[in-house]
Amino acid sequence: MHRMQSLVRIQSFSRVLHQRYRGRPGLRAAVRPCAQSNRELASVARIFGSQIIAAILGLLLHGSVVAGIYATPNQRAVLWLESQQDQSDGSWRDSSEARTFIQTAEAVLALHQANRRGAPYYAGLTWIENHDPKNIDGRARRLVVLRATQSNVQQDVTVLADAISTPSSGQSGWGLAKRYRASPLDTALVVDALRNAGASFPSGEAINFLKATQLSTLGDQGWAVGASSTIDPYATARVVQALAPLRSADTSLAPILSNAVNALRARVTVSSAPHIRAVTALAYMRIDPSSADARVLLNSLVALQRGDGGFDSGVFVTGLVSQAFSAAEGADSLNDRLRVDVTDAALRTAINESLGRGSMDQLNRGELGRLTTLDISNRSVASLNGLQFAINLTSLNAVNNQISDLAPIANLSNLTTRDLSGNPCPGCTTQVAAGDGDVPIPLWALGLLGVMFAGAANRRRNAGPGHRAKEGSGSQ
């Protein structure tokens, strides 16, 4: 009887948390206002095991977000990145200003692509906007970051266009700085940045330069750094990333890219440096988003990740690995980065809380696509505009609001459970008492608790009367 009452208490407690605190950071903050429920949970935890109960509640609190196999490692990586930020100015510090700029750009891009746009992200973005990139490498990375965030990029486009050089007739390229000798790596970074920005530049001449600088040794046809005649995997992966999106407009790139990918396969293994594995995985996924070769490298990186979420080589490497995880999850597509205008402030707050973000943060399609359940009951929501992009939403609790138009959710094919009682929309007029509409504990959780209950009961029976007597005397 006591165990059955405990199951009921778990369900009641989970409803309180799911209704009031889902998506808000910190389980302790969620539990503190529920002293009675907290005491009941402690009683239940003694019976079933506190770690299991905590795991169940963690899933209940954050179960409104879609997650793939790299989502958890990526979440740990970006949390580690946030912990490494210099709180005094928003940067990610390194040994020099130039390296600090590059490292900060990669960290901010990682947070953006992981849809982790909280205070550290905005502080890092502000730092990037207000500091000199120092060289073409940093300028190109800043352009990628600012374009991804839909900020003003014209200054960087102008500077990069002015820094172009002509290594040979019909060729264009970029070096580390204006008047420096053009290099494949810097040219690839700039080409990728300008393409992302939609800027006009002599892309054909830049492609000609990259074609001309590809090494010709059979089986090793990548790109080198400086005057070297040996393939550099990092530079090769960056060039592949830059050229892959241009292959539809230039069919002659197909054998160039095929040779380069074969060279990477021969050179990059699960024993290569982590940043090499990350950029190579990104290159593979530019060619084929479902690349098996990329998955092999990504799996090896998951195994390499430290307990705190970071990687031994620091912020730069962790940022690159996070970007690779995001790409594998499909979270970094240009379409997912498009902003969504959620006009109703109360709706935006509810969505951001479900995602664990600031209440009025801007939202994009990728972030809305992560939602699977959403509770906006009793929030005075008047418009559902923006939810049309919540394509994975399966359950919506919108009890007691001011919603009159259901058009934004009319085409959500996955939305199978919805409650719009107490709204002025057609068929939604029944009023529900404030505080109703709690989301029940999921069936999978009840099933798991049932199995745990049965197992605990069996263990108690098998323990024998002597054990029960001892247990009883110890509790008095």
Side-chain angles (χ1 to χ4, degrees):
M1 183 63 181
H2 179 63
R3 294 175 188 275
M4 188 57 66
Q5 290 173 343
S6 296
L7 285 174
V8 173
R9 288 173 178 172
I10 289 177
Q11 184 174 7
S12 174
F13 184 78
S14 71
R15 284 179 176 176
V16 171
L17 290 181
H18 201 287
Q19 172 78 3
R20 300 182 186 177
Y21 304 103
R22 184 185 58 208
R24 298 185 187 180
L27 183 59
R28 182 179 299 175
V31 172
R32 188 179 295 116
C34 305
Q36 178 61 36
S37 296
N38 195 19
R39 287 193 294 272
E40 291 175 347
L41 181 66
S43 174
V44 173
R46 284 195 295 271
I47 300 171
F48 293 109
S50 58
Q51 291 181 337
I52 294 176
I53 297 300
I56 292 173
L57 288 174
L59 289 169
L60 288 170
L61 286 168
H62 301 286
S64 61
V65 177
V66 174
I69 61 174
Y70 301 111
T72 298
N74 198 17
Q75 179 77 354
R76 294 173 56 221
V78 294
L79 286 172
W80 183 83
L81 284 174
E82 290 177 345
S83 73
Q84 301 304 301
Q85 187 178 39
D86 186 336
Q87 299 297 316
S88 66
D89 65 0
S91 70
W92 277 264
R93 285 285 164 191
D94 206 330
S95 57
S96 68
E97 280 298 309
R99 289 185 58 83
T100 294
F101 196 97
I102 291 173
Q103 187 161 270
T104 301
E106 295 297 348
V108 171
L109 189 59
L111 295 179
H112 179 80
Q113 293 184 347
N115 286 320
R116 183 83 182 179
R117 297 189 296 156
Y121 165 79
Y122 287 111
L125 180 60
T126 300
W127 188 92
I128 288 173
E129 289 175 327
N130 290 283
H131 283 77
D132 183 3
K134 301 297 182 183
N135 54 43
I136 295 300
D137 185 318
R139 179 80 60 179
R141 294 175 201 261
R142 179 163 84 168
L143 178 53
V144 171
V145 171
L146 296 184
R147 175 56 181 170
T149 59
Q150 299 185 9
S151 303
N152 191 329
V153 299
Q154 189 54 53
Q155 178 187 0
D156 293 301
V157 169
T158 300
V159 171
L160 290 174
D162 185 56
I164 197 169
S165 64
T166 306
S168 298
S169 177
Q171 297 180 14
S172 294
W174 285 264
L176 189 59
K178 189 176 181 180
R179 291 184 292 275
Y180 274 48
R181 180 180 178 180
S183 75
L185 176 57
D186 291 304
T187 299
L189 291 170
V190 174
V191 166
D192 205 30
L194 291 175
R195 179 193 60 80
N196 271 313
S200 177
F201 70 103
S203 59
E205 294 181 4
I207 290 173
N208 288 340
F209 170 71
L210 292 173
K211 287 179 179 178
T213 52
Q214 186 175 27
L215 299 175
S216 58
T217 304
L218 188 63
D220 215 17
Q221 292 165 290
W223 284 266
V225 171
S228 174
S229 59
T230 303
I231 181 176
D232 181 85
Y234 182 83
T236 299
R238 286 293 194 180
V239 174
V240 170
Q241 290 180 47
L243 292 181
L246 304 174
R247 57 191 161 153
S248 60
D250 185 347
T251 56
S252 68
L253 285 174
I256 301 289
L257 289 168
S258 177
N259 290 334
V261 167
N262 287 335
L264 286 173
R265 286 185 181 131
R267 289 274 184 165
V268 181
T269 70
V270 295
S271 299
S272 298
H275 74 289
I276 299 297
R277 283 183 255 177
V279 294
T280 301
L282 284 166
Y284 290 157
M285 287 185 285
R286 283 282 179 94
I287 300 290
D288 176 11
S290 60
S291 167
D293 292 315
R295 266 56 184 182
V296 169
L297 295 177
L298 292 174
N299 291 342
S300 73
L301 289 169
V302 171
L304 195 65
Q305 191 173 27
R306 295 196 310 253
D308 62 1
F311 290 82
D312 285 343
S313 301
V315 170
F316 177 74
V317 171
T318 304
L320 288 177
V321 172
S322 173
Q323 292 171 42
F325 286 155
S326 292
E329 290 289 320
D332 70 333
S333 69
L334 291 176
N335 185 64
D336 280 349
R337 298 177 199 168
L338 294 176
R339 290 184 179 179
V340 175
D341 188 15
V342 180
T343 54
D344 191 292
L347 176 61
R348 187 193 302 182
T349 296
I351 293 172
N352 275 318
E353 286 178 357
S354 289
L355 295 170
R357 304 176 65 234
S359 63
M360 295 307 292
D361 284 354
Q362 181 60 254
L363 291 158
N364 61 35
R365 293 187 182 185
E367 288 158 339
L368 285 165
R370 294 169 58 205
L371 292 173
T372 58
T373 65
L374 182 64
D375 185 351
I376 59 172
S377 58
N378 302 298
R379 285 181 177 262
S380 300
V381 173
S383 171
L384 297 177
N385 186 52
L387 278 186
Q388 61 267 35
F389 298 106
I391 57 176
N392 293 301
L393 191 66
T394 61
S395 176
L396 173 65
N397 180 9
V399 167
N400 289 352
N401 285 293
Q402 301 162 18
I403 301 163
S404 59
D405 182 12
L406 301 183
I409 63 173
N411 296 318
L412 295 181
S413 58
N414 292 314
L415 184 57
T416 56
T417 303
R418 68 184 192 182
D419 191 346
L420 291 148
S421 304
N423 285 280
C425 50
C428 307
T429 55
T430 303
Q431 186 72 18
V432 180
D436 282 0
D438 289 348
V439 178
I441 191 168
L443 291 177
W444 60 263
L446 286 174
L448 178 58
L449 289 170
V451 171
M452 292 161 52
F453 170 72
N458 286 333
R459 287 193 299 273
R460 193 176 182 87
R461 282 197 302 269
N462 294 335
H467 177 80
R468 292 195 194 109
K470 181 179 179 180
E471 186 183 69
S473 63
S475 63
Q476 291 178 349

